[in-house]
Every structure is written in C-alpha cells, then in structure tokens.
Amino acid sequence: MTEYRHTATADIAADELFAFLSHPENLPRYFPEMKVAEPRGGDSVHVEAEVHGHRVTGEAWLHTDPATRSLSWGAEGPDDYHGELRIRDDGPASSEITVTLHSVREADGGEVQRGLEQTVAAMTHAVAADSDVAAAENEGGWTSYDGGSSS
C-alpha cells in the first residue's frame, strides 16, 4: 500500500471549507478528472471520471463527520483507492487541511504528489470563489465602483 499526504493552509474558515467539501456534487469543481459525482443516498456516490484518456464509471463512498470536520472516501476496484481529509481551525478565517491518499496501484510518486497538491489548491480556490460570490450577493450583487463620481 502506498500513501501520499499533503497539508496546506487556506484563508477560509474551517466550517465553511468543510461545508463545501462535504457535498460530493462539488467534486468536479476541484478535481478535474471527475466529470460526475451524484449522491445516491447514505454514503454512496455515483462517479464518472476521465482517467488516462478512458471514461471510468463506478460507485464510490464518501463518509462525512461534521464533529471532527473529516471526510473519508474510497472506490471499489483493483487499486484499493481510498483517502481521508481533515480540516482544523488555524484562526478565525483560516484552516489547515491534511489529505492522505492510499492505493496499491504503482505510480510515479512525484506525479501523484503533484496532483494531490494541485487538487488541494483547486479545492480551496473553489471555496474562496463561492465565498466571494455569496458575499457579493449579500451586499446586493457585484457593482462597479467609480469612486462616487458619475459621468
């Protein structure tokens, strides 16, 4: 079994980050290979992904634990792919994210580690973008600011 781990910080409140990540339908927004992620009830999720040029369809599971702000997931198959994600407070508007992946598949470790780091960056970017949009909507939407003068 091979294990990969990455820890990063994000300027996003831990509860907000967990709320976004606990919804499987958000997976395609930060995991580029994932094309479809549809909850099927309980921990079951139907997934479709592009893996090395091939469309892969299957059933996966995603377990969320709000009390510990953690997720665990996996998919049936020959690679015994599964992982965990934990989020902890790192300040009022900051979080520390640790993601661990496990697989029996042999792969270039550098490629997997880079992919893991890119995915964590993409997920925090997606959450921050949602937060910015929500803030703008709460303030009446995006507006043009010209310093108060009118032409």
Side-chain angles (χ1 to χ4, degrees), residues 15-26:
D15 288 337
E16 185 175 354
L17 183 57
F18 179 78
F20 178 87
L21 296 176
S22 64
H23 292 278
E25 58 272 14
N26 287 329

Side-chain angles (χ1 to χ4, degrees), residues 25-145:
E25 58 272 14
N26 287 329
L27 272 165
R29 296 192 49 207
Y30 59 87
F31 191 63
E33 291 81 5
M34 186 70 59
K35 304 304 177 193
V36 176
E38 299 172 340
R40 298 287 193 190
D43 289 348
S44 182
V45 180
H46 172 76
V47 294
E48 296 180 24
E50 292 288 331
V51 180
H52 303 294
H54 296 84
R55 185 80 169 205
V56 178
T57 301
E59 298 306 310
W61 54 270
L62 173 68
H63 176 74
T64 62
D65 184 350
T68 62
R69 288 192 206 101
S70 64
L71 310 170
S72 57
W73 66 88
E76 296 293 325
D79 297 334
D80 188 25
Y81 173 77
H82 61 283
E84 301 89 33
L85 179 144
R86 297 195 182 281
I87 301 168
R88 75 168 187 84
D89 277 318
D90 197 36
S94 184
S95 304
E96 180 182 86
I97 308 150
T98 300
V99 180
T100 306
L101 301 177
H102 311 274
S103 179
V104 296
R105 182 175 72 93
E106 293 295 322
D108 173 17
E111 177 186 354
V112 174
Q113 189 66 36
R114 280 188 304 280
L116 176 59
E117 292 168 9
Q118 291 168 352
T119 299
V120 170
M123 74 174 57
T124 58
H125 178 76
V127 176
D130 273 13
S131 179
D132 290 346
V133 168
E137 288 172 349
N138 288 338
E139 294 297 319
W142 295 105
T143 59
S144 175
Y145 179 74

